[in-house]
Amino acid sequence: MPDVIAHELDVLFVGINPGFASARAGHHFANPANGFWRLLHESGFTPRRFVPSEQRELLTLGIGITNVVSRVTAGVKDVTREDFAEGRLALAQKIAHWKPKSVVFVGVTAYRAFRGTRGPIACGEQAEGLGRARVFVLPNPSGRNAHYSYADMLELYRGVARALE
């Protein structure tokens, strides 16, 4: 899955890894059960609702997308420790090279995987940045995420969008 990335983006969204639907489509967050594109618009990150095939247009808004792990799997349970170790290094290199102003992890699991930590993580801005980039964590909008209602996710996404204005 190719990254949607450019130098000094305002925000780089980071997912865990591509699923089968995204791999088939060749676009990030392509599963129709995933609320990412709807949340992006309704929270104020984008002026309209984009569809996955328009992902490259996000660059004109200063928005990019990548993943911690590049390997396609059915779900995060199929991602190995080795995948996460390789992904942490690759993502750190991407962030150092492309220098986004902020990095938004789409899912607590994505952030934990990058940091290599366990334990509770609160959504919102994190105390530790990445270089000069501010770091945020948002809920994973996958249809499999039963921890947050859509309304709760929307409020958290709006909070980050406001913080980055």
Side-chain angles (χ1 to χ4, degrees), residues 1 3 12-20 22 28-29 34 36 65-88 90-91 94 103-115 137-145 147 157:
M1 175 82 51
D3 291 331
L12 178 62
F13 285 95
V14 179
I16 299 169
N17 76 305
F20 291 138
S22 290
H28 294 272
F29 301 103
N34 192 302
F36 178 77
I65 306 173
T66 190
N67 291 294
V68 175
V69 173
S70 60
R71 188 169 72 85
V72 177
T73 66
V76 70
K77 68 183 182 317
D78 299 319
V79 179
T80 67
R81 286 184 184 159
E82 293 78 17
D83 291 330
F84 282 132
E86 290 173 16
R88 273 193 294 278
L91 181 57
K94 284 179 198 178
V103 177
V104 177
F105 287 87
V106 181
V108 171
T109 303
Y111 183 69
R112 271 195 199 113
F114 178 73
R115 287 294 187 198
V137 175
L138 287 171
N140 186 331
S142 166
R144 296 179 185 181
N145 187 352
H147 299 290
Y157 276 67

Side-chain angles (χ1 to χ4, degrees), residues 118-158:
R118 295 181 183 255
I121 295 185
C123 288
E125 188 163 9
Q126 304 301 298
E128 187 178 348
L130 292 168
R132 66 181 181 105
R134 295 169 71 183
V135 174
F136 298 83
V137 175
L138 287 171
N140 186 331
S142 166
R144 296 179 185 181
N145 187 352
H147 299 290
Y148 293 89
S149 70
Y150 184 83
D152 291 338
M153 281 193 262
L154 181 56
E155 188 56 35
L156 290 164
Y157 276 67
R158 281 181 177 152

Side-chain angles (χ1 to χ4, degrees), residues 39 43 59-60 63 103 107 128 135:
L39 284 163
S43 65
L59 294 173
T60 64
I63 298 171
V103 177
E128 187 178 348
V135 174

